[in-house]
């Protein structure tokens, strides 16, 4: 049986696994589903059509699954889906989606989300991401796997942040951030490849070397984007499967980038 504090208010229609813990004064709505091993902190509100996976830790005073902060939203029933093993710290706000997209806000698994982070409607966050304190993701933002968003950073609507990217402290992100890059400063600019992150994740020297070549082609050689894409495609020749996958990840990102790249 779930361990629910006597002061918590849990709607009887909510689907709560027997291994869930819900702290004092938490409020759980009727369309909420919570998987095994998840712990909901005191005074947290989980509402809307929200699905939370296994072994998540949601700290006190978070607001999870509230309706979108979108003036065009007409009260349609939309969703928030959260994966497994996420840490979500105090005062975070995660909203449901809108029908401007699929009606779902999605947060993957194994993410580390620090206090006061805002995840707006229709955002997609991958796996193994770090969102530092007060990071704010506006509507329709996509964040790739293993990306890090620095504290007090604001990300504009519809921006895409590539996998393994690193955004420094207090960034103002109004354009897409290419995979593997570190961006920082005001105005925001690409500083280097995220070498520290890649090495921590076990990237070989050969893979990192190819990623550095992509960085040079995109941001240092003065090429047009079309020329850069052609030259990056050629980097796959004669490479192993991991390196080919790294190059393809970059090519797929560039093919869908809509707001221009941070340079």
């Amino acid at each position: 049986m779930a361990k629910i504090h006597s002061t918590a208010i849990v709607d009887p229609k909510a689907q709560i696994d027997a291994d869930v813990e819900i702290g004092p004064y938490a409020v759980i709505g009727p369309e909420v589903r919570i998987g095994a091993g998840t712990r909901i902190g005191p005074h947290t509100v989980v509402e809307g059509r929200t699905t939370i996976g296994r072994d998540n830790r949601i700290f006190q005073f978070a607001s999870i699954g509230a309706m979108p902060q979108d003036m065009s939203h007409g009260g349609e029933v939309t969703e928030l889906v959260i994966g497994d093993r996420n840490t979500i710290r105090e005062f975070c706000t995660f909203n449901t989606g809108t029908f401007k997209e699929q009606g779902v806000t999605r947060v993957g698994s194994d993410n580390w989300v620090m206090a006061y982070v805002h995840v707006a409607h229709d955002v997609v966050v991958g796996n193994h991401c770090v969102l530092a304190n007060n990071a704010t993701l506006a509507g329709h933002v996509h964040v790739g796997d293993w990306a890090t968003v620095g504290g007090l950073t604001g990300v504009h609507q519809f921006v895409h942040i590539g996998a393994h990217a690193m955004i420094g402290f207090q960034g103002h992100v109004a354009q897409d951030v290419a995979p593997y890059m570190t961006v920082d400063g005001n105005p925001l600019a690409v500083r280097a490849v995220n070498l520290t992150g890649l090495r921590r994740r076990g990237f070989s020297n050969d893979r990192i070397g190819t990623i550095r070549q992509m960085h040079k082609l995109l941001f240092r050689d003065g090429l047009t984007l079309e020329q850069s894409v052609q030259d990056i495609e050629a980097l796959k020749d004669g490479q192993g499967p991991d390196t080919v996958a790294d190059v393809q990840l970059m090519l797929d990102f560039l093919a869908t980038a809509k707001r221009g790249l941070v340079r």
Side-chain angles (χ1 to χ4, degrees):
M1 184 174 179
K3 185 178 178 181
I4 301 173
H5 194 274
S6 61
T7 60
I9 300 173
V10 179
D11 193 286
K13 295 180 182 178
Q15 299 178 39
I16 310 296
D17 189 271
D19 193 29
V20 167
E21 294 184 20
I22 299 175
Y25 302 102
V27 178
I28 310 296
E31 295 187 280
V32 171
R33 296 187 295 174
I34 304 177
T38 289
R39 291 182 283 171
I40 307 295
H43 297 276
T44 291
V45 176
V46 186
E47 57 184 309
R49 186 170 290 176
T50 296
T51 301
I52 301 173
R54 301 175 60 93
D55 299 315
N56 295 281
R57 176 81 188 275
I58 301 177
F59 282 70
Q60 55 267 27
F61 301 105
S63 173
I64 307 297
M67 65 183 291
Q69 297 178 63
D70 183 325
M71 294 178 68
S72 68
H73 183 69
E76 303 89 354
V77 177
T78 54
E79 296 183 65
L80 168 67
V81 177
I82 298 173
D84 304 326
R85 299 176 302 278
N86 296 289
T87 296
I88 300 170
R89 294 301 303 245
E90 300 85 351
F91 298 100
C92 288
T93 53
F94 289 20
N95 294 162
T96 57
T98 69
F99 285 124
K100 293 177 182 178
E101 289 197 30
Q102 288 80 36
V104 183
T105 302
R106 295 187 183 276
V107 176
S109 298
D110 300 295
N111 296 296
W112 184 260
V113 183
M114 299 186 196
Y116 291 94
V117 166
H118 177 59
V119 175
H121 59 87
D122 306 292
V123 165
V124 177
V125 176
N127 305 311
H128 303 283
C129 297
V130 175
L131 307 179
N133 300 83
N134 289 98
T136 299
L137 308 183
H140 312 279
V141 167
H142 287 199
V143 182
D145 295 345
W146 297 100
T148 298
V149 180
L152 296 171
T153 291
V155 185
H156 194 280
Q157 295 179 69
F158 297 99
V159 160
H160 286 193
I161 297 169
H164 304 282
M166 168 81 181
I167 299 171
F169 171 73
Q170 213 168 38
H172 174 197
V173 188
Q175 294 179 295
D176 296 333
V177 178
Y180 314 113
M181 301 300 138
T182 295
V183 300
D184 196 10
N186 186 15
L188 201 68
V190 173
R191 304 300 177 185
V193 171
N194 182 14
L195 293 177
T196 299
L198 297 178
R199 286 171 177 154
R200 284 175 177 171
R201 289 159 212 149
F203 277 61
S204 67
N205 289 336
D206 287 343
R207 293 175 70 186
I208 290 173
T210 300
I211 291 167
R212 296 182 80 161
Q213 286 180 274
M214 291 193 286
H215 167 258
K216 185 172 181 289
L217 290 168
L218 276 170
F219 304 113
R220 298 293 181 262
D221 283 356
L223 303 176
T224 66
L225 182 58
E226 292 75 14
Q227 291 169 330
S228 297
V229 167
Q230 290 176 0
D231 290 349
I232 289 170
E233 178 76 41
L235 294 176
K236 293 193 288 188
D237 294 344
Q239 299 290 347
D242 288 341
T243 299
V244 170
D246 296 336
V247 174
Q248 191 60 51
L249 188 152
M250 177 66 81
L251 291 170
D252 291 344
F253 182 90
L254 296 175
T256 58
K258 297 179 179 179
R259 293 193 55 83
L261 294 178
V262 173
R263 292 184 172 274

